[in-house]
């Protein structure tokens, strides 16, 4: 709700600025502020889609339409590298028939912003940069219209026409992260992101966990590995590395006096 208690009304001509303010990359398509199928009634949320193409020219279909359906088909296109294309500020044909609590039944086009994220549609080709930008962009828009993550909705959740988009995204987890951004927190990593990070570390450093004992041994002495004791190193007069450095530091201080 706005400060006067009313739902935000008018076309979102602020889209590009709001996304940039959230630290996102933005491409503004010429004429986007005047593009659309009429004006919004009020704004109540964000509807999430995938393009079902996956290529660099998916935005063309969103902007210009396809046979039997005139474009624009969404206000925003999210590229695989996390860049947003701002296509239109007016109403777009993207929602179809459906319902969601607090949204007008079968009339969401006049009340929600559509984001078409570039993807083949099989749920396997999302990139970390794209998913992060998806959540941050939704959070930024919802903050602007004073709505919570409950109004960030998958097309499949809204639709009564059997839609599946955005395939492969757990919307409960997605909304949790969106709300964290709305609340000014760093959203926790998903299980998939944790796995990807582990794989990255393993590729460069070897299996996670294999070097922990080696590091601990270097710092605390050979006894650490075998007995769990901070036995220190014989060549350091049975001191650990930290204790040996502390002793050196103390000796240097005495020499300076």
């Amino acid at each position: 709700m706005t400060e006067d208690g009313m739902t935000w009304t008018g076309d979102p001509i602020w889209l590009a600025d709001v996304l940039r303010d959230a630290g996102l990359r933005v491409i503004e398509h010429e004429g986007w502020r005047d593009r659309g199928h009429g004006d919004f009634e009020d704004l109540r949320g964000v509807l999430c889609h995938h393009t079902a193409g996956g290529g660099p020219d998916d935005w063309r279909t969103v902007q210009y339409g396809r046979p039997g359906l005139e474009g624009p088909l969404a206000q925003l296109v999210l590229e695989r590298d996390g860049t947003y294309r701002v296509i239109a500020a007016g109403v777009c044909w993207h929602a179809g028939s459906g319902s969601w609590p607090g949204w007008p039944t079968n009339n969401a086009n006049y009340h929600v912003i559509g984001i078409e994220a570039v993807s083949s549609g099989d749920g396997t080709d999302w990139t970390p940069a794209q998913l992060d930008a998806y959540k941050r962009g939704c959070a930024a828009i919802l903050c602007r219209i004073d709505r919570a993550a409950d109004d960030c909705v998958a097309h499949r959740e809204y639709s009564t026409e059997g839609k599946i988009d955005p395939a492969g995204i757990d919307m409960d987890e997605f909304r949790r992260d969106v709300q964290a951004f709305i609340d000014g927190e760093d959203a926790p990593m998903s299980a998939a992101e944790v796995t990807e990070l582990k794989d990255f570390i393993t590729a460069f450093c070897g299996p996670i966990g294999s070097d922990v004992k080696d590091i601990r041994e270097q710092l605390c002495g050979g006894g650490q590995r075998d007995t769990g004791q901070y036995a220190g190193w014989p060549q350091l007069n049975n001191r650990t590395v930290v204790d040996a450095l502390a002793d050196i530091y103390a000796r240097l201080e005495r020499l300076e006096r």
Side-chain angles (χ1 to χ4, degrees):
M1 302 299 234
T2 58
E3 290 181 1
D4 60 4
M6 299 295 290
T7 301
W8 201 97
T9 58
D11 290 343
I13 58 174
W14 37 258
L15 272 174
D17 291 336
V18 163
L19 293 171
R20 283 200 187 94
D21 287 346
L24 299 163
R25 295 187 298 274
V26 176
I27 297 172
E28 297 183 57
H29 285 222
E30 185 176 358
W32 71 268
R33 290 179 180 83
D34 300 313
R35 185 175 293 119
H37 306 286
D39 298 325
F40 279 93
E41 295 179 17
D42 58 36
L43 287 172
R44 306 190 188 188
V46 179
L47 198 59
C48 300
H49 306 263
H50 65 228
T51 59
D57 293 326
D58 284 12
W59 67 267
R60 295 182 180 277
T61 300
V62 177
Q63 180 163 321
Y64 300 113
R66 59 179 185 268
L69 190 61
E70 180 186 1
L73 306 183
Q75 285 75 26
L76 299 168
V77 172
L78 175 57
E79 296 289 352
R80 290 171 54 75
D81 67 353
T83 299
Y84 276 95
R85 293 181 180 272
V86 188
I87 301 294
V91 170
C92 298
W93 305 145
H94 64 97
S97 299
S99 64
W100 185 258
W103 295 6
T105 299
N106 300 329
N107 194 31
N109 287 326
Y110 287 85
H111 300 274
V112 301
I113 291 171
I115 302 176
E116 286 279 0
V118 175
S119 168
S120 65
D122 66 3
T124 65
D125 60 349
W126 299 108
T127 70
Q130 188 178 31
L131 288 172
D132 182 67
Y134 215 163
K135 297 168 187 176
R136 291 179 187 272
C138 288
I141 293 167
L142 290 167
C143 277
R144 181 63 178 81
I145 62 175
D146 202 13
R147 293 275 176 161
D150 288 344
D151 285 307
C152 177
V153 182
H155 195 195
R156 66 174 182 269
E157 294 177 306
Y158 166 83
S159 178
T160 54
E161 300 175 302
K163 301 298 183 180
I164 66 168
D165 52 324
I169 293 180
D170 181 328
M171 289 305 296
D172 289 333
E173 182 180 272
F174 191 91
R175 277 187 285 269
R176 179 202 68 192
D177 293 350
V178 168
Q179 189 62 49
F181 285 127
I182 291 173
D183 295 338
E185 304 169 0
D186 286 330
M189 287 190 294
S190 67
E193 289 169 329
V194 170
T195 298
E196 183 168 350
L197 180 60
K198 286 182 177 179
D199 290 344
F200 176 82
I201 293 172
T202 298
F204 283 89
C205 305
I208 294 174
S210 65
D211 57 346
V212 171
K213 287 185 177 180
D214 293 334
I215 294 170
R216 195 162 50 199
E217 183 179 272
Q218 289 294 319
L219 292 173
C220 303
Q224 172 61 224
R225 169 171 295 210
D226 300 326
T227 65
Q229 301 300 313
Y230 300 116
W233 289 102
Q235 57 267 50
L236 296 177
N237 291 326
N238 293 321
R239 295 184 179 91
T240 67
V241 172
V242 172
D243 288 337
L245 287 173
D247 181 65
I248 293 169
Y249 182 75
R251 289 168 182 264
L252 288 174
E253 276 196 321
R254 287 197 293 271
L255 287 174
E256 290 175 355
R257 291 172 185 169

